[in-house]
Amino acid sequence: MTTSDHTPSYVEKGKGFDRDMTYVPDRITAGARTPEHGPVNGELWPVEPGRYRLIAARACPWANRAIIVRELLGLQDVISIGLPGPTHDQRSWTFDLDEGEVDPVLGIHFLKDAYEKRFPGYPRGITVPTIVDERTGEIVTNDFPWITHDFFHEWKEFHAEGAPNLWPEELREEMDVVNKRVFTEVNNGVYRCGFAGSQEAYEDAYDRLFTALDWLEERLATRRYLMGSAITEADVRLFTTLVRFDAVYHGHFKCNRNKLTEMPNLWGYARDLFQTPGFGETVDFDQIKAHYYVVHSDINPTGIVPKGPDAAVWETSHGRESLA
């Protein structure tokens, strides 16, 4: 849904929120090989240092995931990054933080130009994260679950020494179950609350969200991270929602049974991750708040951005070391 003044509309009256999960399904793999895991519904591109540019706004939780994984694996010198600004209209994310409001590598203002260059008249939403081929300026993929999966599995040759094992083989089956529940009930659950078009849809989404958060609170009582004693991609996926919870989702999306700071295990866990190199430095609370409170004008028509909460609380002691 859109409005005539180029302001995107996300709420459809009388209905629940249904995320469009149709993306450009191409994948980047070592030697353009067929990967062992996941679908191959599009083209396969070869891993090639210096060829691809990750476009990932700090405001967006799905893009924040890609930024964190790139940092954790040490791929900064292998895959370049472009950072759109936090606000946009229905047309596209834009590079308004760069000099001249143009990405210095791709030479474009609108991210949609990379989509249109490969797919003229591209009919779907312009999303982040997106990977663009620097040679042609064309989109490669915006299929966010597989972007970070393949950063780990397909770019291993270029990982930094000591990079974490984000997808332990012995935990993969259980991790797939955890990831699915975190995505449907938490990552996407906050959006189903915020973009609900009826009271019934909202209350159903609200109940499902807090049922999942209670499950996570219990799970994290006896383990430092979601899968045990080491950080995995499951933690990255949950973190990007938790770090936005009190600043945005609690009020803006009406996820207000309680704040994250009132759930001791989840709050300690979230601070533990925030204070881990590769996590907290990727978070920009001003950009996060500007994105949600300005772009979602159907929810917040005044466009007023809240001053709080105080970000300094994220640096306080978490006390999770004993669970390691």
Side-chain angles (χ1 to χ4, degrees):
M1 293 183 293
T2 58
T3 56
S4 58
D5 64 354
H6 299 298
T7 300
S9 181
Y10 300 91
V11 178
E12 190 168 359
K13 190 172 182 180
K15 296 186 178 181
F17 173 67
D18 185 18
R19 181 176 297 280
D20 182 358
M21 290 293 291
T22 304
Y23 299 99
V24 178
D26 295 11
R27 293 176 64 180
I28 301 170
T29 63
R33 71 188 183 101
T34 301
E36 289 91 351
H37 304 291
V40 182
N41 299 322
E43 296 183 27
L44 294 173
W45 299 64
V47 164
E48 194 173 325
R51 177 172 178 177
Y52 303 105
R53 187 160 179 81
L54 171 66
I55 307 302
R58 295 189 186 277
C60 170
W62 319 103
N64 195 182
R65 176 196 302 186
I67 296 172
I68 291 170
V69 171
R70 175 178 172 270
E71 291 284 326
L72 292 176
L73 298 178
L75 294 173
Q76 298 93 324
D77 295 331
V78 179
I79 302 168
S80 71
I81 192 168
L83 299 170
T87 60
H88 61 82
D89 58 28
Q90 71 178 30
R91 294 171 293 182
S92 178
W93 291 86
T94 56
F95 295 97
D96 45 293
L97 300 179
D98 291 304
E99 185 176 354
E101 298 191 354
V102 171
D103 180 87
V105 172
L106 303 177
I108 57 176
H109 173 63
F110 291 106
L111 177 56
K112 75 178 181 66
D113 291 347
Y115 285 68
E116 296 278 352
K117 193 166 185 181
R118 184 176 175 195
F119 303 111
Y122 184 76
R124 314 195 80 87
I126 308 302
T127 64
V128 289
T130 290
I131 293 184
V132 178
D133 184 354
E134 292 186 10
R135 295 178 182 176
T136 64
E138 297 178 357
I139 180 178
V140 174
T141 182
N142 63 341
D143 199 350
F144 71 90
W146 295 104
I147 287 175
T148 53
H149 176 280
D150 292 342
F151 278 179
F152 178 76
H153 287 281
E154 304 299 332
W155 292 80
K156 278 190 174 181
E157 180 183 352
F158 304 99
H159 290 180
E161 184 178 355
N165 182 1
L166 297 180
W167 289 87
E169 189 62 36
E170 69 277 11
L171 297 176
R172 186 179 178 94
E173 186 175 350
E174 181 187 2
M175 192 165 140
D176 285 344
V177 174
V178 171
N179 282 343
K180 182 177 181 180
R181 188 170 184 184
V182 166
F183 171 73
T184 58
E185 307 303 298
V186 181
N187 299 148
N188 201 42
V190 292
Y191 284 86
R192 285 190 291 106
C193 290
F195 295 153
S198 73
Q199 188 69 33
E200 182 181 13
Y202 162 70
E203 291 186 9
D204 176 69
Y206 176 100
D207 290 342
R208 286 175 58 181
L209 168 66
F210 281 100
T211 295
L213 289 176
D214 287 340
W215 164 68
L216 289 165
E217 176 74 2
E218 182 178 355
R219 183 179 179 91
L220 289 166
T222 56
R223 61 184 78 198
R224 186 169 183 179
Y225 305 112
L226 276 181
M227 303 310 301
S229 61
I231 290 171
T232 65
E233 173 145 340
D235 300 297
V236 181
R237 294 184 178 201
L238 178 57
F239 172 79
T240 59
T241 295
L242 296 182
V243 80
R244 288 161 173 76
F245 199 89
D246 286 3
V248 174
Y249 302 141
H250 179 269
H252 184 59
F253 277 177
K254 306 179 184 70
C255 303
N256 62 354
R257 191 194 74 178
N258 53 257
K259 297 177 181 178
L260 175 66
T261 56
E262 295 166 344
M263 303 188 79
N265 297 327
L266 274 168
W267 174 225
Y269 163 82
R271 279 177 291 156
D272 190 0
L273 292 175
F274 185 89
Q275 295 167 30
T276 298
F279 285 84
E281 63 265 33
T282 73
V283 175
D284 187 314
F285 286 108
D286 288 338
Q287 289 195 35
I288 289 169
K289 291 188 292 183
H291 171 70
Y292 285 93
Y293 286 98
V294 173
V295 172
H296 301 161
S297 59
D298 44 355
I299 300 176
N300 185 41
T302 65
I304 294 173
V305 179
K307 288 183 67 175
D310 183 359
V313 297
W314 283 91
E315 298 292 353
T316 59
S317 176
H318 55 76
R320 301 278 297 175
E321 299 89 348
S322 61
L323 294 174

